[in-house]
Amino acid sequence: MKRMLTRRGFLKAGGGALAGAYALGLAGCGGSEQGGSSKNLEFWGFDEGRVDFARAAYESKAFKSKHGDVKFNFRILPYEQMHDKLLTALVSGEGAPDVADIEISRFGQFIKGDRVPLLGLKKRIGDDINDIYKPAAVDPWSWKGEIYGVGNELNTVVMAYRRDILEQAGVKLPFETWDDVIAAGQEVSTGDKRMFAIHDLSFGDHYMLMQEAGTAYFDANGNYNGDDPRSIEAMQFLHDLVYKHKIAAIAPAEADNNWAPPQYMAAFRAEKFIATWGPPWHLSYFIDQVPDQSGKWDVQELPSGLGDSRPTANFGGTGQAITEQSANPEASWDLIRAANLTKEGVLWDFEARTAYPAYRPAYDDPALAKPNEYFGGAKIGQLYSDIASDLPPFRQSPVWPDTTEAIQRDVITPVMNDEADAEAALTEMKGTVEDLQKEQ
Amino acid sequence: MATQPRRDESGRAEANKSAPGGAASFKRRWGGGRRSTAAPYLFLLPFFAIYCTFLLYPTFSALWLSFQEAVALDVPSFIGLDNYVRLVQDERYLHALRNTTVYALASVFILSPLALAVALAVRSFLVPSVNLKSFYRIALFLPFITSFVVIALMFSLIFNKDFGLLNAFFRSVGLPELNWLRSERLAMVSIVLVGIWTYLGVNSLYFLAGLQNIPHELNEAAAIDGAGRRKTFLYVTLPLLRPTILFVVVQATIFSYQLFEIPFLLTNGGPSDATLFLSQYLYEVGFSQFDRGYAAAIGYSMALISIFLTVIQLLLYRRLTR
């Protein structure tokens, strides 16, 4: 018998198949083990360079010799999306990767509440803790005595300036004090040219200089400390660079890229600004995006004259963490170790992204001591390691992201636009931060 | 071999005759022994399954969440209406509500009349050629289907203080340069301008469709009665456009209370919250502060405001058309 497939029959079969497939699909959503099996692991990152860094650790002998049969799937998602998705997956209990990059300013979100959804790494790090600069490598991802992430970058802040222009103006270099900087700035700031570009949409400049002055947004007990006189001094100083001394202008940044967007770098290319301060990742923008000024720049430690006059500060960084959903914590940890706690791992990132390592055993490698061509032959690695011991501690808080956002909104933007008083704004912020802490 | 389908047909006829509304009818309706009657439900099943999973379930789940304290990974606890009480005490929420309402008012009172003006212009003698009208229709629709990311990128360049198109024009005519996105006074104006650019075209098309539905004879009759262009517009065109006006206004209001991408990408709510909209505040509370219960309450407040305003507009419309 030959049965004809009628139109109705076809549609019925199709409808049934669709419904069946959908039901199976739904059932399948909750059934699979994270990562497929303990041999197939997942890594999430938001920066291509950093994911390459993790990939290099995965390919390294240190990892392969222990876990030759483990496969890592590396995913890159946009910054906001990756952190939001990671948090959502951890709350829902499903779908988180084994290892994730967590940016320093987003870590606070993971320690809200009583339960931290990441694995503690303190025991695993063991004695290696003595080989790293803690303020850069683990403090930002630590909470209540436990370590939840490890970073490789030593984000020591230094000052960089155009040596050629300043020497031409008869300025004595390097600078010893901020007063010297102001005097030099007044020599070279003419027309629409200024020495510095100060950010009014980011807390970064204030955060760096308040650390030089000897304080931070939170004290050792997690209380708001932004109203400390040294913090106020730093904020007032930034304001005065623009409005009193007139040696700085507001940085041409924008909302969705509030640090170094194309117009910011273009202004340096056009020599509208000739000096800056920041950590290695900040200076790497100049090497990549202002290449025609290679050899004309120089670096030095931060000048003295603000508060306690520390020669450096700590700004930025990203750490690798293992989520509580990891199907293979041992292999996940060995990836982190290979990347951050081996000479091979950290030197790979120094070569690729000029990320100066926080892992001290790597310091005897000649690659780190090489003169830097871009910065006029300066031994920049030597400078970083010389001032590394002066790095102030990083004090994490569950309200860190909300606090810095509020400071940007209610202190930095109005003060840097000459619409608010630094002392009043930073003092009023205390109430806002206390409210945020109460809501936790 | 070809008799099988005929037996089916006759069998169905028998069942219809013997027990209308009885057990056979139930079987027929739900497919017991009559597979063909279940087919429509099977076809609808995927849609309803998706609808229930991705819309109904999250909607009710969020409602339940809005009555709970659910911060970070802590176990949620029931707190009744506390999240809703917190809304009226939260200065940032009220500020965001004010900003969103200002934008909604601009959408209704600036964007909608402009859209009507553009529709009238396209339909009028200004654009006589049929081909040109088609071009205008496509051109008007393009901004609406352009990605918000592209729009934000484009306007960040146009509004740029130092090398933006707008300030270049201002310079060329001797006007002072303005800090479009960084000034607390101008940032909202900039967002409204982007909104107008984005939605003007599509709203004009709605009005254009409305205008085309007005019988030409009515205009002719008005002209014979001695009505000029102005009177014809006021007493013939405008009253007949009421359904379209209502639709455009309701749409504009709802879209305004959902606005997220443009201010998020262009100003990130700044400077100093000058362009903080409800949707961005919800995002901040939900994903930055990770206060899921309160974020759900903000979401429901937005929905309630939109429903309330729509009902008001519908009632107003009924009164006007009575």
Side-chain angles (χ1 to χ4, degrees):
Chain A
M1 178 184 81
K2 189 179 178 185
R3 291 189 66 174
M4 294 284 288
L5 181 64
T6 60
R7 183 174 159 272
R8 177 174 288 185
F10 172 76
L11 289 173
K12 274 197 288 186
L18 259 177
Y22 177 74
L24 282 174
L26 277 187
C29 283
S32 68
E33 187 187 356
Q34 170 62 31
S37 82
S38 60
K39 300 294 178 193
N40 291 310
L41 308 185
E42 186 102 350
F43 181 100
W44 286 4
F46 55 87
D47 178 84
E48 204 171 328
R50 277 200 59 87
V51 172
D52 285 343
F53 163 60
R55 203 178 273 125
Y58 165 67
E59 299 289 350
S60 71
K61 276 184 198 163
F63 183 81
K64 286 287 182 190
S65 62
K66 279 183 151 181
H67 305 283
D69 55 344
V70 168
K71 284 184 180 167
F72 258 98
N73 179 31
F74 293 91
R75 283 180 200 268
I76 305 174
L77 297 136
Y79 174 84
E80 298 280 356
Q81 190 188 343
M82 195 223 79
H83 288 97
D84 293 348
K85 205 172 156 71
L86 181 61
L87 276 164
T88 310
L90 290 168
V91 169
S92 70
E94 285 276 350
D98 297 89
V99 185
D101 260 351
I102 300 179
E103 205 263 339
I104 191 169
S105 61
R106 295 295 295 257
F107 181 72
Q109 293 171 309
F110 294 81
I111 52 172
K112 286 188 179 190
D114 298 328
R115 187 166 70 84
V116 180
L118 306 167
L119 296 191
L121 303 177
K122 204 171 180 178
K123 279 187 185 165
R124 288 187 164 96
I125 294 170
D127 291 340
D128 283 345
I129 197 80
N130 301 317
D131 290 334
I132 52 176
Y133 280 110
K134 282 180 68 210
V138 293
D139 282 0
W141 302 277
S142 299
W143 182 239
K144 291 186 175 172
E146 184 53 274
I147 298 168
Y148 295 99
V150 184
N152 66 308
E153 302 164 48
L154 186 75
N155 283 315
T156 36
V157 172
V158 295
M159 177 182 274
Y161 47 79
R162 284 285 299 273
R163 173 174 278 279
D164 58 330
I165 293 174
L166 289 167
E167 279 184 344
Q168 212 174 348
V171 174
K172 188 187 161 210
L173 296 169
F175 297 111
E176 282 186 13
T177 66
W178 281 106
D179 286 340
D180 297 340
V181 174
I182 291 165
Q186 284 164 344
E187 289 293 322
V188 295
S189 299
T190 52
D192 65 345
K193 295 189 178 201
R194 293 288 182 273
M195 192 154 174
F196 296 109
I198 310 291
H199 294 86
D200 72 334
L201 297 175
S202 165
F203 66 95
D205 290 326
H206 177 238
Y207 181 58
M208 287 186 270
L209 290 196
M210 80 190 292
Q211 286 178 80
E212 181 195 345
T215 188
Y217 288 133
F218 293 97
D219 65 17
N221 300 316
N223 299 316
Y224 173 74
N225 208 30
D227 56 349
D228 184 284
R230 291 167 292 184
S231 163
I232 293 165
E233 182 188 355
M235 191 69 244
Q236 188 62 47
F237 178 72
L238 288 168
H239 170 272
D240 290 350
L241 286 181
V242 178
Y243 297 100
K244 185 178 168 189
H245 309 302
K246 299 188 190 303
I247 66 161
I250 299 300
E254 55 197 37
D256 70 328
N257 186 348
N258 65 4
W259 191 255
Q263 61 266 38
Y264 176 85
M265 301 314 301
F268 277 92
R269 273 197 296 277
E271 297 182 342
K272 280 190 169 185
F273 304 110
I274 61 154
T276 185
W277 62 81
W281 57 263
H282 176 66
L283 301 189
S284 73
Y285 294 150
F286 290 79
I287 299 171
D288 294 340
Q289 297 178 46
V290 198
D292 54 326
Q293 292 177 11
S294 178
K296 296 175 179 174
W297 285 78
D298 202 348
V299 286
Q300 67 159 82
E301 62 183 49
L302 293 176
S304 63
L306 264 181
D308 298 350
S309 294
R310 278 178 184 268
T312 189
N314 189 12
F315 185 47
T318 297
Q320 294 173 343
I322 305 173
T323 69
E324 64 178 8
Q325 292 175 26
S326 174
N328 190 340
E330 286 313 310
S332 301
W333 165 246
D334 284 328
L335 180 87
I336 294 177
R337 181 190 286 279
N340 302 282
L341 302 175
T342 64
K343 280 174 79 169
E344 188 189 357
V346 297
L347 289 173
W348 189 94
D349 205 27
F350 178 74
E351 290 293 333
R353 301 189 307 135
T354 63
Y356 199 80
Y359 183 62
R360 279 192 292 234
Y363 286 10
D364 56 9
D365 194 278
L368 298 187
K370 272 196 302 194
N372 189 298
E373 195 186 323
Y374 191 87
F375 293 100
K379 290 189 174 177
I380 197 165
Q382 187 64 48
L383 173 62
Y384 288 142
S385 59
D386 286 348
I387 55 178
S389 57
D390 289 302
L391 273 178
F394 184 92
R395 285 162 185 155
Q396 190 54 269
S397 164
V399 294
W400 172 271
D402 317 314
T403 300
T404 50
E405 205 173 278
I407 287 172
Q408 261 166 219
R409 184 181 67 235
D410 295 335
V411 179
I412 308 293
T413 301
V415 172
M416 289 316 301
N417 286 287
D418 205 22
E419 289 165 354
D421 174 65
E423 184 174 359
L426 281 163
T427 307
E428 276 174 32
M429 184 51 56
K430 192 178 183 72
T432 305
V433 178
E434 283 172 353
D435 286 346
L436 286 168
Q437 286 172 323
K438 269 184 224 160
E439 286 161 16
Q440 298 311 306
Chain B
M1 288 298 114
T3 55
Q4 189 71 28
R6 276 205 293 272
R7 258 207 321 270
D8 272 346
E9 287 301 317
S10 63
R12 185 182 301 162
E14 257 177 41
N16 282 345
K17 277 180 203 165
S18 62
S25 172
F26 177 84
K27 276 186 182 174
R28 190 172 65 246
R29 194 169 296 146
W30 295 102
R34 298 285 177 268
R35 284 173 300 164
S36 59
T37 50
Y41 300 101
L42 279 176
F43 292 132
L44 290 173
L45 183 65
F47 166 75
F48 276 107
I50 291 169
Y51 179 78
C52 290
T53 310
F54 294 109
L55 200 88
L56 276 188
Y57 170 71
T59 302
F60 287 110
S61 174
L63 180 64
W64 176 236
L65 192 62
S66 72
F67 298 118
Q68 295 183 308
E69 185 175 19
V71 179
L73 283 90
D74 291 349
V75 178
S77 57
F78 184 77
I79 52 166
L81 290 169
D82 284 8
N83 281 328
Y84 290 94
V85 173
R86 191 173 150 195
L87 285 176
V88 291
Q89 297 164 344
D90 181 350
E91 278 181 27
R92 284 196 81 204
Y93 172 81
L94 296 174
H95 186 74
L97 178 62
R98 204 160 40 240
N99 285 346
T100 312
T101 306
V102 167
Y103 182 85
L105 289 172
S107 290
V108 171
F109 293 107
I110 300 175
L111 170 63
S112 301
L114 269 177
L116 178 59
V118 171
L120 287 168
V122 170
R123 199 171 151 73
S124 75
F125 60 94
L126 291 173
V127 190
S129 156
V130 174
N131 288 336
L132 210 55
K133 278 180 181 168
S134 301
F135 164 75
Y136 270 88
R137 282 172 194 151
I138 294 166
L140 289 174
F141 202 66
L142 271 179
F144 186 63
I145 56 169
T146 305
S147 153
F148 283 122
V149 177
V150 175
I151 293 172
L153 190 67
M154 191 173 78
F155 274 94
S156 73
L157 295 173
I158 290 171
F159 286 136
N160 188 283
K161 182 176 178 283
D162 300 313
F163 51 83
L165 197 67
L166 216 50
N167 273 353
F169 169 73
F170 274 39
R171 269 195 299 273
S172 69
V173 295
L175 289 169
E177 292 174 10
L178 298 172
N179 209 347
W180 293 96
L181 297 173
R182 305 278 286 277
S183 150
E184 280 187 48
R185 285 178 198 148
L186 281 175
M188 179 59 87
V189 175
S190 307
I191 299 290
V192 169
L193 286 175
V194 179
I196 289 174
W197 184 87
T198 310
Y199 293 110
L200 181 70
V202 72
N203 284 340
S204 301
L205 287 180
Y206 295 141
F207 280 122
L208 210 53
L211 287 170
Q212 280 168 347
N213 281 337
I214 297 173
H216 198 60
E217 295 80 12
L218 291 177
N219 288 332
E220 285 174 353
I224 291 165
D225 287 345
R229 277 180 187 279
R230 197 176 133 268
K231 281 195 171 173
T232 307
F233 174 72
L234 284 176
Y235 299 110
V236 178
T237 310
L238 213 50
L240 290 169
L241 267 182
R242 274 177 192 157
T244 314
I245 293 170
L246 178 76
F247 175 74
V248 168
V249 166
V250 167
Q251 281 246 95
T253 310
I254 292 172
F255 277 159
S256 299
Y257 280 90
Q258 291 176 343
L259 186 73
F260 176 72
E261 296 91 339
I262 295 295
F264 180 70
L265 292 166
L266 267 183
T267 58
N268 198 18
S272 298
D273 279 354
T275 56
L276 180 73
F277 284 75
L278 282 175
S279 49
Q280 192 182 338
Y281 187 52
L282 184 156
Y283 173 77
E284 263 185 40
V285 170
F287 286 98
S288 178
Q289 297 169 23
F290 224 50
D291 192 342
R292 292 173 289 134
Y294 188 45
I298 294 172
Y300 263 91
S301 77
M302 289 163 67
L304 290 173
I305 290 166
S306 294
I307 292 168
F308 174 74
L309 291 175
T310 307
V311 169
I312 295 274
Q313 285 160 357
L314 281 169
L315 290 175
L316 224 76
Y317 171 73
R318 269 193 201 165
R319 178 170 284 188
L320 285 171
T321 50
R322 214 176 264 166

